[in-house]
Amino acid sequence: KQKTAYEISACLVGSEMCIRDSIQLVLSAPDKNSPNYQKYLSDTKEDFQQFDTNKDGLIDAQELRDGIHGISDDEISEFFQISDTDFSGTVSLEEYLQAQEYYLSLIHI
């Protein structure tokens, strides 16, 4: 069974975390109006920086492969289809944050 974008996102929320723990983190993410939202935002930025191993401010497919052991090419493709809004082949911090917001909007409906 191919993973959904939500499942991929859950895996990306914290590199090296198991999917179950990642899903729990996303499910417990505060609403934008919550006082804990800034902490969540800060943690999400730290996650991005862990993936951005060459520190160029972008995540590419190889960094994603290196950050998530066992991620398939299909999962990487799906992540970029959702996150890479400017079709550059990389994901910026802004795009990463927007993708996380999208996933959160699905949860907090």
Side-chain angles (χ1 to χ4, degrees):
K1 174 184 176 255
Q2 186 175 6
K3 290 185 180 179
T4 65
Y6 172 79
E7 290 169 320
I8 293 169
S9 170
C11 188
L12 296 176
V13 169
S15 62
E16 302 298 322
M17 293 173 64
C18 73
I19 291 175
R20 183 195 70 228
D21 291 342
S22 297
I23 290 172
Q24 184 58 39
L25 181 59
V26 170
L27 290 175
S28 65
D31 184 81
K32 279 186 174 183
N33 298 321
S34 166
N36 296 326
Y37 183 74
Q38 288 304 315
K39 169 76 170 115
Y40 167 76
L41 194 58
S42 174
D43 290 347
T44 303
K45 288 178 183 180
E46 286 178 27
D47 290 339
F48 176 89
Q49 291 167 347
Q50 287 180 16
F51 283 110
D52 181 21
T53 56
N54 67 2
K55 304 303 178 205
D56 66 353
L58 303 166
I59 298 172
D60 61 33
Q62 186 59 52
E63 288 172 315
L64 202 56
R65 249 184 227 97
D66 293 344
I68 303 174
H69 301 290
I71 190 170
S72 72
D73 288 341
D74 288 342
E75 291 168 325
I76 289 172
S77 258
E78 191 169 352
F79 170 75
F80 278 92
Q81 286 174 0
I82 291 168
S83 303
D84 183 17
T85 57
D86 67 0
F87 307 105
S88 64
T90 58
V91 174
S92 68
L93 175 58
E94 181 180 327
E95 289 171 317
Y96 185 80
L97 291 171
Q98 288 173 350
Q100 296 305 313
E101 290 297 322
Y102 168 74
Y103 298 125
L104 284 175
S105 74
L106 297 177
I107 295 168
H108 290 281
I109 292 177

